[in-house]
C-alpha cells in the first residue's frame, strides 16, 4: 500500500468539500455532551435580513448599497452562489470590472456550467478591452443555450 492506495485498486478520490453548517450540526451534539460546545456559526436565519436588504437595493438600482449588503451577507454565507452572482452584477454596473471579474471567476470555479456567470465574465472581459476573450465566452454562453 502506497499512500493509502494499493496497486490494482482504485486510486484515492479527491475529498469533497464539507458544508460547515452541516458539520457543526453533527458535531454540535458531541461537543455538547463533552461540555466543549463552541459559539454557533452564522445561521441562514441571522443572515436573511441582510440578504433581503441587499435584494431590495438591487431591485431599486442602488448598486453601491447592494454591493455592501451582498459583501456583508457573503461574509456570513460565502457559499451562496446567487448572492455572489448579484454582487458581481453590482460591481459590473458600477464599472468595477476587476472586482466583478474576480466574483464571476469564483462562480465559474464552483460551477463551470453557470451560464449567467459565463455571460457576465465575457461582458467584463470585453469592457476590460479583452474583446476576443469576451467574445469567445459570450459565444459559448449562446452555444450552451442552443441559440446559435
Amino acid at each position: 500500500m502506497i499512500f493509502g492506495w494499493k496497486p490494482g485498486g482504485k486510486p484515492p478520490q479527491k475529498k469533497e468539500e464539507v458544508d460547515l453548517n452541516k458539520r457543526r450540526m453533527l458535531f454540535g451534539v458531541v461537543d455538547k455532551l463533552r461540555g466543549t460546545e463552541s459559539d454557533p456559526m452564522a445561521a441562514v436565519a441571522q443572515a436573511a435580513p441582510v440578504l433581503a436588504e441587499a435584494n431590495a437595493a438591487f431591485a431599486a438600482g442602488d448598486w453601491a448599497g447592494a454591493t455592501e449588503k451582498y459583501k456583508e451577507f457573503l461574509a456570513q454565507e460565502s457559499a451562496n452562489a446567487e448572492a455572489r452572482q448579484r454582487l458581481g452584477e453590482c460591481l459590473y454596473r458600477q464599472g468595477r470590472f476587476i472586482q466583478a471579474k474576480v466574483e464571476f471567476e469564483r462562480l465559474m470555479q464552483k460551477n463551470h456550467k453557470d451560464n449567467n456567470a459565463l455571460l457576465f465574465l465575457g461582458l467584463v472581459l470585453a469592457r476590460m478591452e479583452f474583446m476576443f476573450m469576451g467574445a469567445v465566452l459570450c459565444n459559448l454562453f449562446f452555444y450552451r443555450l442552443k441559440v446559435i
Side-chain angles (χ1 to χ4, degrees):
M1 185 183 295
I2 302 170
F3 301 109
W5 177 66
K6 315 183 228 186
K10 289 185 175 179
Q13 299 295 318
K14 210 175 170 184
K15 288 187 178 181
E16 293 182 25
E17 288 186 20
V18 176
D19 182 0
L20 293 179
N21 289 333
K22 288 180 183 176
R23 181 183 167 99
R24 284 297 337 135
M25 185 175 72
L26 292 172
F27 287 101
V29 174
V30 174
D31 290 345
K32 193 170 191 173
L33 292 173
R34 287 184 184 163
T36 59
E37 188 175 352
S38 61
D39 292 333
M41 298 188 73
V44 174
Q46 292 172 327
V50 176
L51 182 60
E53 290 175 21
N55 288 336
F58 185 87
D62 178 13
W63 311 124
T67 299
E68 295 309 313
K69 290 297 180 181
Y70 282 124
K71 283 182 180 178
E72 185 180 336
F73 175 76
L74 287 168
Q76 297 173 19
E77 301 291 333
S78 63
N80 190 310
E82 186 176 334
R84 191 162 302 281
Q85 171 74 31
R86 287 195 166 190
L87 171 61
E89 288 182 39
C90 290
L91 292 167
Y92 173 79
R93 292 172 191 260
Q94 292 176 68
R96 296 166 60 183
F97 302 125
I98 294 173
Q99 296 94 333
K101 178 179 173 279
V102 169
E103 296 303 328
F104 294 126
E105 285 175 340
R106 284 181 183 162
L107 283 166
M108 292 298 296
Q109 286 173 353
K110 293 224 180 220
N111 179 8
H112 65 277
K113 294 182 179 179
D114 187 341
N115 279 336
N116 286 334
L118 180 69
L119 175 65
F120 273 95
L121 183 57
L123 293 172
V124 165
L125 289 172
R127 295 287 236 146
M128 292 174 65
E129 298 184 7
F130 295 107
M131 296 301 263
F132 180 74
M133 289 172 40
V136 167
L137 291 176
C138 288
N139 281 336
L140 183 58
F141 167 79
F142 289 112
Y143 176 75
R144 284 184 180 177
L145 293 178
K146 307 288 189 245
V147 175
I148 295 179

